Amino acid sequence: MKSFINRNLRLFFSQPKNVILSLFSSMISLTLYLVFLKNNLLDSMSGIGNADKILDLWLIGGILTITAMTTSFTGVSQSVYDREKGVLKDLSLTSLKSSEVSLSYLCSSVVISFVMQAAVYLLTYALFFILDDLKIDVETSLILLPIFILNSLVWSVFNLFVIKNIKNIKSLGRIEALLSTAIGFFAGAYIPLGVFSKSAYSIIKLTPAPYSSSLFREILLKSPLEKIKMPTSEEFDFRKLLGIGIEFYGKLTSGYQNALILIFFCLICLIGGMIIDKIRK
């Protein structure tokens, strides 16, 4: 099992094309922000100090969610390629059980997603340090590490559940394109979550994406927002607009609640995957 995990990791990191394509949606989000979105948002936040830095941190939170989803999808998608090439049939002749094979794909995907999140975090931080003199303290960066792990696990389980229903590489490409496009909107990276209509906002809340990006933003923006003085009602609207908490019954979720919701999604996908495997047997 360990050798199979290492094999999956080697297949991903040894091919630059895999790494670049898995980050394509993150790069699109960053480009849209720098070219279009940032200036528009800055105009609407003219009365808030350090608005540029707040927006930079807001975007980093969204990009980290996109990265967690797309890179873990690339990681677990190796199972579809292996199925088509007959690798899984060959594995059935070895001592590896089907559950161990699935666990191997999951473990390698978690590692891939964690490494890529950490890399993207450092790269985007370095970029905004150069552009806007953005500074993030070491304590905040350390707090993000377990969140990287949580997101890696949640999105790996989610994507493994999705991929269980994909039969061929052609279908895989279509699903990947759909998810890679949707994740930017659902994470509030292309457009702030508070801008969506009530119905669209309700649909987005049915996915792990807004809770993932909100959790990142809660951590990244905690210190900057504590320095801003604004009435409670205005702070609520501001947080809802930027997706720093997801609204339920007139209240916004906390970072702790977002983490619990992500764990819930993880368990649902895990149980769903086990049920599918049992039915197929």
Side-chain angles (χ1 to χ4, degrees):
M1 183 171 156
K2 183 179 178 181
S3 60
F4 193 59
I5 293 173
N6 290 334
R7 172 256 188 188
N8 293 336
L9 294 174
R10 190 167 56 252
L11 284 174
F12 178 85
F13 288 110
S14 64
Q15 300 181 49
K17 182 181 74 171
N18 286 340
V19 177
I20 294 172
L21 289 177
S22 69
L23 295 176
F24 189 67
S25 294
S26 299
M27 291 187 286
I28 289 177
S29 177
L30 180 61
T31 302
L32 289 174
Y33 172 75
L34 293 174
V35 177
F36 302 108
L37 190 57
K38 185 175 183 178
N39 289 333
N40 291 333
L41 289 174
L42 280 174
D43 290 339
S44 65
M45 296 169 58
S46 56
I48 298 177
N50 291 325
D52 56 340
K53 296 179 176 61
I54 289 174
L55 288 176
D56 291 344
L57 292 169
W58 166 80
L59 180 76
I60 291 174
I63 284 181
L64 288 173
T65 292
I66 294 173
T67 301
M69 196 289 290
T70 56
T71 56
S72 62
F73 187 92
T74 302
V76 296
S77 66
Q78 184 60 45
S79 62
V80 180
Y81 289 95
D82 288 344
R83 189 183 302 124
E84 284 222 337
K85 293 177 181 178
V87 175
L88 294 184
K89 284 186 178 180
D90 295 338
L91 286 172
S92 65
L93 302 175
T94 67
S95 58
L96 271 180
K97 300 177 182 178
S98 60
S99 59
E100 292 177 325
V101 173
S102 295
L103 184 59
S104 297
Y105 287 121
L106 178 63
C107 290
S108 56
S109 176
V110 169
V111 173
I112 288 168
S113 182
F114 176 83
V115 171
M116 296 307 293
Q117 282 179 86
V120 167
Y121 172 66
L122 292 174
L123 288 172
T124 51
Y125 176 34
L127 174 64
F128 290 124
F129 175 77
I130 295 170
L131 295 178
D132 297 325
D133 194 31
L134 177 69
K135 292 182 176 65
I136 304 175
D137 58 69
V138 176
E139 182 182 355
T140 298
S141 297
L142 292 176
I143 293 173
L144 286 175
L145 291 177
I147 309 304
F148 290 163
I149 296 173
L150 174 62
N151 272 274
S152 298
L153 180 60
V154 170
W155 285 111
S156 293
V157 171
F158 174 85
N159 286 322
L160 193 60
F161 173 74
V162 171
I163 279 179
K164 280 182 180 293
N165 302 294
I166 299 177
K167 302 298 183 183
N168 53 63
I169 295 174
K170 188 176 181 180
S171 299
L172 176 68
R174 292 171 181 169
I175 296 297
E176 183 175 16
L178 177 64
L179 290 177
S180 296
T181 302
I183 186 64
F185 292 101
F186 284 28
Y190 296 161
I191 303 173
L193 288 172
V195 173
F196 286 99
S197 65
K198 188 175 181 179
S199 57
Y201 191 75
S202 298
I203 293 172
I204 288 171
K205 290 195 293 185
L206 297 175
T207 73
Y211 310 100
S212 172
S213 60
S214 178
L215 181 55
F216 280 123
R217 287 164 178 159
E218 284 277 356
I219 296 168
L220 289 168
L221 288 163
K222 181 180 179 181
S223 180
L225 290 182
E226 286 176 347
K227 299 174 183 177
I228 299 176
K229 305 286 186 180
M230 62 174 71
T232 304
S233 60
E234 289 185 16
E235 183 179 357
F236 178 90
D237 292 338
F238 182 73
R239 284 177 170 270
K240 182 183 176 183
L241 172 67
L242 295 184
I244 312 168
I246 306 303
E247 184 183 11
F248 281 97
Y249 304 107
K251 294 184 178 180
L252 297 177
T253 56
S254 65
Y256 178 71
Q257 290 169 332
N258 287 326
L260 288 178
I261 293 171
L262 286 174
I263 293 171
F264 173 76
F265 272 110
C266 184
L267 291 174
I268 290 296
C269 292
L270 194 61
I271 293 170
M274 292 169 66
I275 292 173
I276 290 175
D277 287 341
K278 191 171 183 179
I279 291 173
R280 287 176 178 174
K281 287 180 180 180

